[in-house]
Amino acid sequence: MPSKGKAIIMNVAIIGAGAVGTTLGKAWVNKGHLVVFGVRDTQSAKARALAESIKAPLRSIRDACTDAEVVVLAVPWAAAFDALKEAGGLDGKIVVDPINSFTPDMALSVGFTTSVAEQIAKFVPGARVVKAFNTLGMGNFDNLVFGGQTASGFMCGDDAAAKAKVGQLAAEIGFEVVDCGVLRNARALEPLALLWGQLAFVQGLGPNIAFKLLHR
Ligand SMILES: NC(=O)c1ccc[n+]([C@@H]2O[C@H](COP(=O)([O-])OP(=O)(O)OC[C@H]3O[C@@H](n4cnc5c(N)ncnc54)[C@H](OP(=O)(O)O)[C@@H]3O)[C@@H](O)[C@H]2O)c1
């Protein structure tokens, strides 16, 4: 993981043109993927300017998802179910969940005995949910090498084929991909993001940090 074969071009819909959506979208457009943004307000000047600069079309959430094989849910946790409702039929599609349920005092509002990812999978049972891209700040995505070491891109999900595709997308950004097993293991990946936030913002290490799985 990811497959060493030829890179596959994917139709990717990104719901939400915020920090995560635009960072991932830009990287994947540069890799030749067919990226479309799904937003609440297609007339918003900010969203239009961003989409223009990234060279990816802006659509309603439903239209963006219609032809997508991969749908990235790049919205706050509080907006996740509304956005999924807007998206319409997601059966068979890969839904990438980068969401952290951070509270203002840097804790998790969901976690430990369930996870955001499992809640999403329950809400869209026909979709193939993959937890990914949640364990470090987006500001690092332009350069995932830290003192010669490449950051791990942790992901989990119940569908191996879906994880292989998301693994390709993560590797193309520059992650060293780590398959963390079943979706239930998002119960570990979401608190890992909490640890990242605590280290970055409470312990004062700042946001230019990342986790790496070491091998011997
Ligand atoms: N930022 C990071 O470094 C980072 C890293 C890892 C994971 N994450 C996670 O990734 C997710 C997105 O974070 P972000 O930093 O990109 O947030 P953000 O910059 O605030 O962007 C959020 C986007 O969600 C859209 N949105 C809000 N409510 C919506 C709704 N009901 N339906 C559809 N779209 C809606 C917003 O659109 P409008 O413009 O219409 O408001 C905005 O484009 C969060 O769950 C966060 O926990 C963030």
Side-chain angles (χ1 to χ4, degrees), residues 20-37:
V20 170
T22 55
T23 302
L24 294 175
K26 190 174 167 188
W28 292 332
V29 166
N30 288 338
K31 292 290 176 188
H33 295 292
L34 305 168
V35 175
V36 49
F37 284 97

Side-chain angles (χ1 to χ4, degrees), residues 16-20 40 61 74-77 79 83 98-100 133-134 136-138:
V20 170
R40 289 189 285 191
I61 294 171
V75 302
W77 172 227
I99 294 174
N100 289 313
F133 307 115
N134 73 308
L136 75 171
M138 282 297 122

